[in-house]
Amino acid sequence: MRNKIEPKKRVNIVSLQMVKESSVLYAGRKCNSPQALYQLFAPFIENKDREHLVMAGLNQKLEPTIIQTIHIGTINQSLAYPRDILKAALLSNSVSICIAHNHPSGDETASLADIQLTARLEKAAKLLQIKLQDHLIIGSTGKFLSMRAEGHIIENT
């Protein structure tokens, strides 16, 4: 009986790069408080008619270096997985991240799903040596909730 020779498998050789789509000026310079994060994220998501989840990657000085829209959902939910949130953070060499999503209803309270996402993301980010600085829920007309301030992010800043 003859040994069957397996055909060779082609393996793709790849490189990854981020593509800058545009830029925005951020007067606050640092994301070191919930209010500063609100000022960064609100122009992108506060008045949207569907839930938007966005992520900002930060450098060592807590200065935002990238902003990415992770997901656009429906009027009352947005799907989010830690791997999707952390992908751009890894590619941009972010030391820490902040995320925010809006509630088109105007209510800035946290749902159980919001709390669970925050906990899963904090654990996944920690494994990759990326710190989750905060998760904001933005309601309407300047109202927002900080998951860190509410005690849902455990690691100290």
Side-chain angles (χ1 to χ4, degrees):
M1 185 173 197
R2 298 174 72 171
N3 287 342
K4 184 178 177 183
I5 298 175
E6 295 270 332
K8 294 180 182 176
K9 172 153 180 25
R10 181 162 301 278
V11 178
N12 296 325
I13 299 170
V14 301
S15 66
L16 298 174
Q17 67 178 4
M18 297 195 60
V19 176
K20 181 173 98 172
E21 294 177 355
S22 64
S23 64
V24 62
L25 290 175
Y26 175 55
R29 305 261 327 152
K30 291 191 180 207
C31 293
N32 54 5
S33 71
Q35 184 64 36
L37 290 172
Y38 169 76
Q39 290 171 355
L40 176 67
F41 288 127
F44 294 99
I45 64 174
E46 186 170 43
N47 296 313
K48 300 292 186 181
D49 64 343
R50 293 178 289 160
E51 282 201 12
H52 285 62
L53 175 71
V54 293
M55 182 274 298
L58 309 176
N59 65 17
Q60 189 69 35
K61 297 176 184 177
L62 298 180
E63 298 168 332
T65 57
I66 64 159
I67 297 174
Q68 182 186 28
T69 299
I70 304 297
H71 191 261
I72 299 172
T74 65
I75 59 169
N76 62 356
Q77 72 176 2
S78 178
L79 298 175
Y81 297 99
R83 68 179 183 187
D84 295 329
I85 296 167
L86 293 167
K87 189 183 307 182
L90 285 170
L91 288 173
S92 66
N93 293 319
S94 297
V95 173
S96 59
I97 62 167
C98 302
I99 64 169
H101 77 278
N102 65 317
H103 283 174
S105 67
D107 181 17
E108 73 281 357
T109 57
S111 68
L112 179 59
D114 295 334
I115 295 167
Q116 290 172 338
L117 169 64
T118 302
R120 284 193 324 270
L121 180 58
E122 184 179 22
K123 287 178 187 172
K126 186 176 182 177
L127 285 173
L128 298 171
Q129 299 176 325
I130 297 172
K131 179 181 260 183
L132 175 60
Q133 292 293 340
D134 210 338
H135 174 184
L136 288 191
I137 300 171
I138 297 178
S140 59
T141 62
K143 294 181 181 178
F144 63 90
L145 176 136
S146 161
M147 296 296 263
R148 179 173 290 283
E150 293 292 312
H152 296 295
I153 296 176
I154 297 159
E155 175 114 2
N156 292 330
T157 307

